[in-house]
Amino acid sequence: MATLSEAYRDNPIDLQHIIPLDFDSVHELPDSHTWSDHVNNLYLEKYTYLKHTPMDEESSVPIIDLSAPNVVELVGNACETWGMFHVVNHGVSSILVDDVESHAQQLFSLPTQHKLKALRAPDGATGYGVARISPFFSKLMWHEGFTIMGSIVEHAKELWPHDYEDFCNVMDNYQKKMKSLAYQIMLLILKFLDITKEGEEEMISTSSIYECEGALQLNSYPCCPDPNRAIGLAPHTDSLLLTILHQSETKGLQIHRNGVGWVAVPPVSGALVVNIGDLFHILSNGRFPTVYHRAVPNQDAHRISVAYFYGPPADTIVGPLNKLPCPRYRSLTVKEYISLKNKHLENALSLIKF
Ligand SMILES: C=C1C[C@]23C[C@@]1(O)CC[C@H]2[C@@]12CCC[C@@](C)(C(=O)O1)[C@H]2[C@@H]3C(=O)O
Ligand SMILES: O=C(O)CCC(=O)C(=O)O
Ligand SMILES: [Fe+2]
């Protein structure tokens, strides 16, 4: 069975000509990185059919205690109204989370020429580089990333030939913890939809969602001389089932709300942010919105975030769960969806819509 990383490798994006800026050497925002509102909201119209119920401006992303007795209902309601929620009491030690953040910090503090030793290969899915969505925008992002899928030993050796083990152990350990947390959250969401593993005959086409894999993305948003005219990570939806994000103590994450516009999602101490991705939007037959979000840089603070993307093996057929009436999307394999997203970004969902 093909893995997720194979699916991303088989769908390369031509990023060769785009490498992250040497941010330390720049003291004014270059034209290449200056965004107008138009470019920033380029895909917003395409996204209108995914919009969720308008909310008042005061409401904010819910914080859910995973040990609450009514956790299924809380998680399900948050998925329906926001497509996003914070989790606390998630069982991942704060020491590990801090450790991942400080190792990411250490990586991004290396001189640019050194980081380029681990540059993502043209036909590769892992390593240092710009975001995969970069070619869809005419302007560049105030961002550098490092993608990990499974073992990162080869890339870590490129960066620290004699001292790579600690980095690898921390990232491995964090991926394991994220995988089991993501599984636990996925089961809660499926339970809300009245789907149980035992009732598998009702969802033969999606049986491999119980064997999901993950990818880890370390994001760095250096201090920016003109943050109001720059973008850290351009507006996008995440492609897979769900994403678990650690966003350090520095603000930067924003989501788009119908009738409200861009709304900040400030960090909540000790909490992780969970958001619905395109594949869960499809499984739920559009009941859960896939969250359109972006990250903005700060003038005085370098922001690090760590995103874990969780999704089924590439050959898994994904479609609206059989139990749900009147499918709004056609079924397709995960790798077909990744390929559509690579070519059409936010139009991918409308291409599989009935
Ligand atoms: C598993 C993955 C999801 C992701 C592409 C990737 O192969 C690893 C990086 C992820 C990321 C992070 C930034 C935003 C995003 C849209 C991108 O360009 O790369 C997501 C991808 C995604 O969800 O499609
Ligand atoms: O840095 C953030 O807050 C958002 C990161 C993100 O959206 C991603 O990695 O997909
Ligand atoms: Fe994202």
Side-chain angles (χ1 to χ4, degrees):
M1 175 159 287
T3 62
L4 264 183
S5 58
E6 280 160 3
Y8 278 102
R9 271 206 311 268
D10 293 348
N11 285 286
I13 279 194
D14 184 13
L15 296 170
Q16 263 323 71
H17 57 298
I18 324 177
I19 53 170
L21 191 68
D22 180 3
F23 294 99
D24 290 341
S25 66
V26 177
H27 304 292
E28 259 179 43
L29 192 68
D31 183 55
S32 53
H33 289 70
T34 305
W35 289 59
S36 65
D37 270 359
H38 162 70
V39 180
N40 198 356
N41 292 325
L42 207 55
Y43 293 91
L44 216 46
E45 293 149 36
K46 311 280 185 230
Y47 180 70
T48 46
Y49 68 97
L50 296 174
K51 280 182 180 168
H52 17 78
T53 338
M55 305 278 291
D56 63 77
E57 289 178 34
E58 299 305 311
S59 53
S60 54
V61 172
I63 302 173
I64 298 178
D65 182 338
L66 281 187
S67 63
N70 57 341
V71 65
V72 171
E73 207 186 323
L74 293 174
V75 165
N77 288 339
C79 288
E80 273 190 317
T81 46
W82 287 90
M84 179 179 266
F85 50 94
H86 290 101
V87 281
V88 292
N89 258 323
H90 44 64
V92 183
S93 105
S94 59
I95 298 173
L96 178 61
V97 178
D98 291 348
D99 223 8
V100 169
E101 188 183 322
S102 66
H103 278 80
Q105 186 92 51
Q106 197 186 321
L107 187 159
F108 291 119
S109 318
L110 293 169
T112 302
Q113 285 310 316
H114 198 112
K115 286 182 276 196
L116 293 177
K117 291 183 180 179
L119 188 64
R120 195 187 299 127
D123 56 351
T126 56
Y128 178 70
V130 296
R132 282 179 75 89
I133 50 174
S134 303
F136 288 96
F137 299 89
S138 55
K139 296 293 182 168
L140 299 174
M141 301 172 205
W142 201 260
H143 166 267
E144 53 185 338
F146 191 85
T147 311
I148 301 174
M149 290 191 196
S151 166
I152 197 61
V153 171
E154 291 316 313
H155 283 305
K157 276 185 180 168
E158 290 162 343
L159 295 172
W160 304 282
H162 307 294
D163 195 12
Y164 57 89
E165 280 178 355
D166 200 20
F167 182 86
C168 296
N169 290 341
V170 170
M171 296 301 154
D172 282 353
N173 201 356
Y174 189 71
Q175 287 192 89
K176 281 190 196 121
K177 294 287 185 302
M178 284 297 115
K179 191 171 179 182
S180 65
L181 178 61
Y183 184 71
Q184 184 191 346
I185 294 171
M186 180 183 78
L187 292 188
L188 293 173
I189 302 175
L190 290 175
K191 199 163 178 193
F192 179 79
L193 292 173
D194 211 15
I195 305 289
T196 56
K197 200 170 177 182
E198 294 69 45
E200 217 159 324
E201 70 283 356
E202 295 170 76
M203 46 179 302
I204 285 163
S205 66
T206 55
S207 55
S208 298
I209 63 169
Y210 294 107
E211 279 114 55
C212 282
E213 305 158 15
L216 201 61
Q217 169 82 5
L218 312 178
N219 294 306
S220 152
Y221 310 94
C223 294
C224 178
D226 193 353
N228 295 331
R229 296 196 302 146
I231 272 291
L233 201 50
H236 65 279
T237 60
D238 295 339
S239 309
L240 302 181
L241 280 179
L242 48 90
T243 306
I244 304 180
L245 180 84
H246 161 64
Q247 59 161 337
S248 72
E249 282 176 4
T250 310
K251 68 179 181 358
L253 175 64
Q254 299 184 340
I255 57 172
H256 196 271
R257 299 292 298 162
N258 191 15
V260 180
W262 289 106
V263 177
V265 183
V268 172
S269 179
L272 294 163
V273 182
V274 179
N275 71 264
I276 291 291
D278 298 349
L279 294 186
F280 232 131
H281 172 79
I282 297 170
L283 282 184
S284 73
N285 201 21
R287 186 167 165 188
F288 301 151
T290 174
V291 186
Y292 199 51
H293 57 287
R294 68 179 186 182
V296 293
N298 296 291
Q299 187 146 23
D300 304 316
H302 181 173
R303 177 168 181 267
I304 297 281
S305 76
V306 181
Y308 180 79
F309 301 91
Y310 187 66
D315 295 320
T316 312
I317 298 171
V318 178
L321 292 165
N322 293 347
K323 222 176 184 176
L324 308 174
C326 309
R328 290 169 58 195
Y329 294 101
R330 77 168 171 86
S331 298
L332 76 176
T333 59
V334 171
K335 66 180 170 215
E336 255 183 281
Y337 187 71
I338 289 173
S339 159
L340 276 181
K341 189 89 188 255
N342 270 10
K343 292 192 190 97
H344 306 283
L345 198 64
E346 303 312 335
N347 286 336
L349 280 174
S350 58
L351 293 173
I352 58 164
K353 205 162 193 253
F354 287 128

PDB file of all heavy atoms in Angstrom, residues 233 236-238 243 253 275 291 293 307 309, ligand 3:
ATOM      1  N   LEU A 233       2.113  32.664   6.126  1.00  0.00           N
ATOM      2  CA  LEU A 233       1.664  31.512   5.331  1.00  0.00           C
ATOM      3  C   LEU A 233       0.362  31.944   4.674  1.00  0.00           C
ATOM      4  O   LEU A 233      -0.575  32.349   5.368  1.00  0.00           O
ATOM      5  CB  LEU A 233       1.466  30.310   6.261  1.00  0.00           C
ATOM      6  CG  LEU A 233       1.490  28.909   5.666  1.00  0.00           C
ATOM      7  CD1 LEU A 233       2.707  28.674   4.787  1.00  0.00           C
ATOM      8  CD2 LEU A 233       1.480  27.878   6.793  1.00  0.00           C
ATOM      9  N   HIS A 236      -5.009  29.185   3.123  1.00  0.00           N
ATOM     10  CA  HIS A 236      -5.107  27.828   2.563  1.00  0.00           C
ATOM     11  C   HIS A 236      -5.987  26.973   3.465  1.00  0.00           C
ATOM     12  O   HIS A 236      -6.277  27.356   4.600  1.00  0.00           O
ATOM     13  CB  HIS A 236      -3.717  27.179   2.470  1.00  0.00           C
ATOM     14  CG  HIS A 236      -3.089  26.940   3.811  1.00  0.00           C
ATOM     15  ND1 HIS A 236      -2.437  27.919   4.527  1.00  0.00           N
ATOM     16  CD2 HIS A 236      -3.048  25.833   4.606  1.00  0.00           C
ATOM     17  CE1 HIS A 236      -2.015  27.444   5.680  1.00  0.00           C
ATOM     18  NE2 HIS A 236      -2.378  26.166   5.755  1.00  0.00           N
ATOM     19  N   THR A 237      -6.390  25.829   2.946  1.00  0.00           N
ATOM     20  CA  THR A 237      -6.982  24.805   3.805  1.00  0.00           C
ATOM     21  C   THR A 237      -5.968  23.663   3.860  1.00  0.00           C
ATOM     22  O   THR A 237      -5.195  23.479   2.915  1.00  0.00           O
ATOM     23  CB  THR A 237      -8.324  24.278   3.234  1.00  0.00           C
ATOM     24  OG1 THR A 237      -8.076  23.698   1.936  1.00  0.00           O
ATOM     25  CG2 THR A 237      -9.353  25.384   3.104  1.00  0.00           C
ATOM     26  N   ASP A 238      -5.963  22.909   4.944  1.00  0.00           N
ATOM     27  CA  ASP A 238      -5.064  21.753   5.020  1.00  0.00           C
ATOM     28  C   ASP A 238      -5.738  20.590   4.299  1.00  0.00           C
ATOM     29  O   ASP A 238      -6.959  20.424   4.357  1.00  0.00           O
ATOM     30  CB  ASP A 238      -4.784  21.393   6.487  1.00  0.00           C
ATOM     31  CG  ASP A 238      -4.020  22.505   7.205  1.00  0.00           C
ATOM     32  OD1 ASP A 238      -3.387  23.327   6.522  1.00  0.00           O
ATOM     33  OD2 ASP A 238      -4.072  22.552   8.453  1.00  0.00           O
ATOM     34  N   THR A 243      -5.482  18.399  11.423  1.00  0.00           N
ATOM     35  CA  THR A 243      -4.161  18.953  11.740  1.00  0.00           C
ATOM     36  C   THR A 243      -4.142  19.285  13.224  1.00  0.00           C
ATOM     37  O   THR A 243      -5.134  19.784  13.760  1.00  0.00           O
ATOM     38  CB  THR A 243      -3.920  20.253  10.928  1.00  0.00           C
ATOM     39  OG1 THR A 243      -4.119  19.980   9.551  1.00  0.00           O
ATOM     40  CG2 THR A 243      -2.521  20.805  11.138  1.00  0.00           C
ATOM     41  N   LEU A 253      -1.667  32.999  14.052  1.00  0.00           N
ATOM     42  CA  LEU A 253      -2.668  32.206  13.325  1.00  0.00           C
ATOM     43  C   LEU A 253      -3.982  32.992  13.200  1.00  0.00           C
ATOM     44  O   LEU A 253      -4.437  33.607  14.162  1.00  0.00           O
ATOM     45  CB  LEU A 253      -2.912  30.883  14.077  1.00  0.00           C
ATOM     46  CG  LEU A 253      -4.013  29.972  13.522  1.00  0.00           C
ATOM     47  CD1 LEU A 253      -3.669  29.473  12.108  1.00  0.00           C
ATOM     48  CD2 LEU A 253      -4.228  28.765  14.445  1.00  0.00           C
ATOM     49  N   ASN A 275      -7.580  21.314  13.711  1.00  0.00           N
ATOM     50  CA  ASN A 275      -8.508  21.781  12.676  1.00  0.00           C
ATOM     51  C   ASN A 275      -8.842  20.687  11.669  1.00  0.00           C
ATOM     52  O   ASN A 275      -8.063  19.774  11.418  1.00  0.00           O
ATOM     53  CB  ASN A 275      -8.037  23.077  11.992  1.00  0.00           C
ATOM     54  CG  ASN A 275      -6.852  22.920  11.099  1.00  0.00           C
ATOM     55  OD1 ASN A 275      -5.725  23.158  11.526  1.00  0.00           O
ATOM     56  ND2 ASN A 275      -7.073  22.519   9.857  1.00  0.00           N
ATOM     57  N   VAL A 291     -11.071  24.360   7.302  1.00  0.00           N
ATOM     58  CA  VAL A 291     -10.815  25.730   7.775  1.00  0.00           C
ATOM     59  C   VAL A 291      -9.856  26.488   6.873  1.00  0.00           C
ATOM     60  O   VAL A 291      -8.724  26.043   6.639  1.00  0.00           O
ATOM     61  CB  VAL A 291     -10.222  25.690   9.202  1.00  0.00           C
ATOM     62  CG1 VAL A 291     -10.084  27.096   9.757  1.00  0.00           C
ATOM     63  CG2 VAL A 291     -11.083  24.850  10.094  1.00  0.00           C
ATOM     64  N   HIS A 293      -7.359  29.239   6.574  1.00  0.00           N
ATOM     65  CA  HIS A 293      -6.560  29.940   7.579  1.00  0.00           C
ATOM     66  C   HIS A 293      -5.261  30.457   6.980  1.00  0.00           C
ATOM     67  O   HIS A 293      -4.882  30.081   5.874  1.00  0.00           O
ATOM     68  CB  HIS A 293      -6.291  29.021   8.782  1.00  0.00           C
ATOM     69  CG  HIS A 293      -5.591  27.728   8.427  1.00  0.00           C
ATOM     70  ND1 HIS A 293      -6.216  26.688   7.772  1.00  0.00           N
ATOM     71  CD2 HIS A 293      -4.316  27.311   8.629  1.00  0.00           C
ATOM     72  CE1 HIS A 293      -5.367  25.686   7.605  1.00  0.00           C
ATOM     73  NE2 HIS A 293      -4.205  26.044   8.105  1.00  0.00           N
ATOM     74  N   ALA A 307       3.150  21.873  13.039  1.00  0.00           N
ATOM     75  CA  ALA A 307       1.858  21.306  12.606  1.00  0.00           C
ATOM     76  C   ALA A 307       2.023  19.814  12.312  1.00  0.00           C
ATOM     77  O   ALA A 307       2.982  19.416  11.636  1.00  0.00           O
ATOM     78  CB  ALA A 307       1.371  22.028  11.348  1.00  0.00           C
ATOM     79  N   PHE A 309       0.096  16.782  10.444  1.00  0.00           N
ATOM     80  CA  PHE A 309      -0.985  16.502   9.493  1.00  0.00           C
ATOM     81  C   PHE A 309      -1.272  15.011   9.517  1.00  0.00           C
ATOM     82  O   PHE A 309      -0.343  14.202   9.379  1.00  0.00           O
ATOM     83  CB  PHE A 309      -0.570  16.933   8.076  1.00  0.00           C
ATOM     84  CG  PHE A 309      -0.231  18.388   7.998  1.00  0.00           C
ATOM     85  CD1 PHE A 309       1.068  18.831   8.191  1.00  0.00           C
ATOM     86  CD2 PHE A 309      -1.215  19.338   7.764  1.00  0.00           C
ATOM     87  CE1 PHE A 309       1.379  20.177   8.144  1.00  0.00           C
ATOM     88  CE2 PHE A 309      -0.916  20.690   7.711  1.00  0.00           C
ATOM     89  CZ  PHE A 309       0.382  21.103   7.902  1.00  0.00           C
TER      90      PHE A 309
HETATM   91 FE    FE B   3      -2.437  25.030   7.595  1.00  0.00          FE
END
